[in-house]
Amino acid sequence: MAKPVSPQDMFDLWQKMVNPGAYPLQSLMFPVLDAKELEKKIAELEVVEHWLKANLNMLQLSIKSLEYQRQMVKGGERIRQAMEEGSAPEAPGGAEEIPNPALWAWNMMAQAGTEAAEAMGRAVEAAGEAASEAARDAGQPKPKPKAKRKKPAGD
């Protein structure tokens, strides 16, 4: 004679079928009222979340490194073709020189210095023009440049 199947056996069978990972589904049907049990489940799920984030970050890093390798291979092909043709390789976008990413801070400071020098030059020119206009408005003649004297040939 066969053993009778109880409702608890049916529930256990259904739970194993639906959730083979052995996480109990009791919380879906019967809420857990024990705070320690809830804290334990929260901690377990946070661990899983951190693990998934770590895997996602590793996957993104792998994608970025493969894209970098692809660009390096394409660049190498372009240089090889240029060498076969006997001409210098052209930089993408028509640029004369490809900037070195390791020198970004230096390049930024050099550009800022160049822009500051140009701005200072424009300010000096504007100040000179303003002084000339002020002198003209005041009725004073502009100072004339002094003529250089020639030295006598006999001295």
Side-chain angles (χ1 to χ4, degrees), residues 11-21:
F11 178 74
D12 289 342
L13 179 64
W14 177 79
Q15 192 175 16
K16 287 179 184 176
M17 181 180 68
V18 172
N19 192 7

Side-chain angles (χ1 to χ4, degrees), residues 39 50 53 76 88 90 108 112 120 135 139:
E39 289 176 5
H50 291 300
K53 283 182 180 179
E90 293 183 17
M108 185 177 65
M120 182 62 88

Side-chain angles (χ1 to χ4, degrees), residues 4 17 21 27 29 33 47-48 56 66 81 94 108 120 133 141 154:
M17 181 180 68
S27 61
M29 299 180 74
L33 299 176
V47 167
V48 171
L56 177 65
L66 289 173
Q81 288 174 353
M108 185 177 65
M120 182 62 88
E133 289 177 14

Side-chain angles (χ1 to χ4, degrees), residues 21-146:
Y23 277 114
L25 294 176
Q26 291 176 349
S27 61
L28 294 177
M29 299 180 74
F30 309 107
V32 179
L33 299 176
D34 186 20
K36 289 182 181 179
E37 191 69 27
L38 288 173
E39 289 176 5
K40 179 182 172 186
K41 287 186 180 187
I42 290 171
E44 289 174 353
L45 291 175
E46 286 176 345
V47 167
V48 171
E49 178 188 15
H50 291 300
W51 180 79
L52 289 172
K53 283 182 180 179
N55 282 336
L56 177 65
N57 290 337
M58 289 177 60
L59 177 65
Q60 290 172 341
L61 180 64
S62 298
I63 290 170
K64 295 286 185 193
S65 65
L66 289 173
E67 288 174 349
Y68 177 74
Q69 289 176 5
R70 180 182 63 193
Q71 293 299 324
M72 293 295 289
V73 168
K74 285 183 179 180
E77 290 173 357
R78 192 172 56 241
I79 290 172
R80 183 179 48 84
Q81 288 174 353
M83 289 176 66
E84 288 174 356
E85 295 172 2
S87 63
E90 293 183 17
E96 295 176 6
E97 182 179 334
I98 299 173
N100 184 353
L103 299 175
W104 69 268
W106 179 259
N107 293 337
M108 185 177 65
M109 288 188 293
Q111 181 181 3
T114 303
E115 291 173 358
E118 290 173 358
M120 182 62 88
R122 289 190 299 267
V124 167
E125 289 174 7
E129 291 173 5
S132 297
E133 289 177 14
R136 245 183 287 135
D137 292 343
Q140 298 174 358
K142 264 180 138 176
K144 295 181 183 178
K146 295 181 180 179

